[in-house]
Amino acid sequence: MTDPTPERLTPAQFRTHFPITCTKTYLASCSQGALSDALAAALTTFQSTLLEHGNPWEHWIVEVERSRAAFAELIGATPAEIAIVSCASEGAFQAASGQDWTRRPGLVTTDLEFPSLAHVWLAQRARGAEVRFAGAHNGFADLPGYTKLIDSSCSLVSVPLHAYAHGQRLPVEEITETAHRHGARVLVDAYQGLGVTAVDVRELDCDYLVAGALKYLLGVPGIAFLYVRAGLPHPVDPLLTGWFGQRDTFAFTPHDLTFGPGAKRFQSGSPPVLAAYGAHAGLSMLARTDPAERQAHVAALVTHLYESLRDAGEHLASPADPAARGPQVALRDHDPAALAAFLATRGVMTSPRGSLLRIACHYYTSTEDIVTLLDALAGYRRCKPQPSANRLTATS
Ligand SMILES: Cc1ncc(COP(=O)(O)O)c(C=O)c1O
């Protein structure tokens, strides 16, 4: 018997699973994904396992493995290529700790890196790394900016899939091709888009990919996933380890240190079980949709949003080229926190960052959400007109 055709939810059907969309205009997925009914149920299930069984590790480990398998499926990897970590920074640290900086000190990153990952890279200087930042020109990173820094002294090149500040889709594939030509490895931070932007690690051809569950993956804080390409040799053993990173987790041999196979070597202590329940619930929601439809739905909304804001005279930080955009549009404002607070009084949830207000879409976002945001923003501008463009800072 063949498998039944998998269920494919439309955006409207998907939206019914997110109760906050009934009461709010939720445009803050770049910060935290909306709570689904599946996620709420999963968190309750975790509590029930405690009430019913006390210490049900056998149930919990099953759920942890389900979250690993679901993440692997989302990015076209195998479960053995996925390490479960507590946050993206920990994943980045583990990838960095596997490099031999004394042999090849170069570590290339970008001005658009999420600060926490950049901090991990900078801390590698204590182990001999030489950190180089590909500059952002007019606010955007590009291939030449990376290319001129990548040479045969590089161990690692770090590329965000989308810039956290304004959503720019970086030319990951081209940068990866350049890095590999010089014998360097590539880490992709896919946090700002994975779940909306379709990703296949075989197509990206990256060596590592990291993402946490709480934004577009529709989970909760406390868990992230580190993809490590199968067969990638690691000249240096991880500095952070523990029993879940060992070949035999339950050997109980304090005198032996034998790292696990594949990505397992990058895990440390007890996994984040509650967050794994949440991650699995979020990933299961995504699995009920078609990746290409998710991306196309959000791209159409983002185009509508970008063009409407531009036509309204807003100063936009996101790319003008639709192909270079992500799931969010960022606009410049002299006080984004005050603007976000005003919008919140109108039931519109957004995400201020520095000099920018980020407005993010997901598969549950509707055209009506965009209209509501535009109306609320127009009301704000009537009361508090923007200062001239040259008084708005040019960077985020
Ligand atoms: C691109 C990106 N990477 C990483 C993070 C977070 O890193 P961590 O999981 O270490 O807190 C964020 C935001 O929270 C982000 O936007």
Side-chain angles (χ1 to χ4, degrees), residues 20-35:
I20 198 170
T21 60
C22 299
T23 55
K24 305 268 190 218
T25 300
Y26 195 75
L27 295 167
S29 308
C30 56
S31 174
Q32 168 69 49
L35 176 90

Side-chain angles (χ1 to χ4, degrees), residues 30-31 86-90 112-114 116-117 160 162-164 189-192 210-212 214-215 223-224 353 358:
C30 56
S31 174
S86 67
C87 62
S89 310
E90 183 184 322
L112 300 186
E113 191 82 271
F114 186 73
S116 190
L117 268 81
H162 290 281
Y164 78 97
D189 175 0
Y191 218 142
Q192 281 294 336
V210 73
L214 64 95
K215 300 178 192 290
I223 190 169
R353 272 282 178 282
R358 305 182 301 170

Side-chain angles (χ1 to χ4, degrees), residues 71-298:
F71 183 82
E73 167 112 30
L74 180 76
I75 62 166
T78 64
E81 292 176 303
I82 309 299
I84 291 184
V85 292
S86 67
C87 62
S89 310
E90 183 184 322
F93 174 82
Q94 290 297 64
S97 77
Q99 313 306 320
D100 180 358
W101 304 114
T102 59
R103 210 172 50 83
R104 294 174 66 117
L107 197 175
V108 178
T109 175
T110 163
D111 289 350
L112 300 186
E113 191 82 271
F114 186 73
S116 190
L117 268 81
H119 300 149
V120 171
W121 305 146
L122 290 171
Q124 293 300 311
R125 292 183 300 196
R127 296 179 56 231
E130 180 196 296
V131 181
R132 306 170 194 165
F133 282 86
H137 305 293
N138 299 321
F140 302 118
D142 57 16
L143 179 61
Y146 267 90
T147 306
K148 66 179 180 220
L149 300 180
I150 300 173
D151 57 28
S152 58
S153 75
C154 288
S155 286
L156 192 66
V157 175
S158 176
V159 197
L161 180 68
H162 290 281
Y164 78 97
H166 50 46
Q168 182 201 354
R169 165 69 154 94
L170 273 77
V172 177
E173 294 85 344
E174 291 87 341
I175 294 168
T176 301
E177 210 265 315
T178 307
H180 285 171
R181 230 179 321 112
H182 289 92
R185 291 165 182 194
V186 173
L187 179 139
V188 175
D189 175 0
Y191 218 142
Q192 281 294 336
L194 186 62
V196 166
T197 300
V199 167
D200 182 327
V201 281
R202 313 287 175 222
E203 282 170 18
L204 285 186
D205 202 27
C206 56
D207 303 286
Y208 308 95
L209 179 141
V210 73
L214 64 95
K215 300 178 192 290
Y216 298 97
L217 296 187
L218 307 175
V220 290
I223 190 169
F225 300 93
L226 172 66
Y227 159 79
V228 183
R229 182 207 290 272
L232 199 66
H234 285 94
V236 178
D237 286 338
L239 291 174
L240 174 64
T241 190
W243 57 334
F244 280 80
Q246 299 297 298
R247 189 181 60 197
D248 184 355
T249 297
F250 301 105
F252 295 103
T253 49
H255 300 282
D256 180 44
L257 181 66
T258 307
F259 294 101
K264 192 180 184 202
R265 70 184 354 246
F266 292 115
Q267 299 186 148
S268 61
S270 304
V273 176
L274 174 57
Y277 270 82
H280 182 227
L283 289 160
S284 301
M285 284 304 302
L286 293 175
R288 296 172 66 187
T289 67
D290 179 73
E293 278 174 29
R294 270 196 321 262
Q295 188 168 312
H297 173 74
V298 171

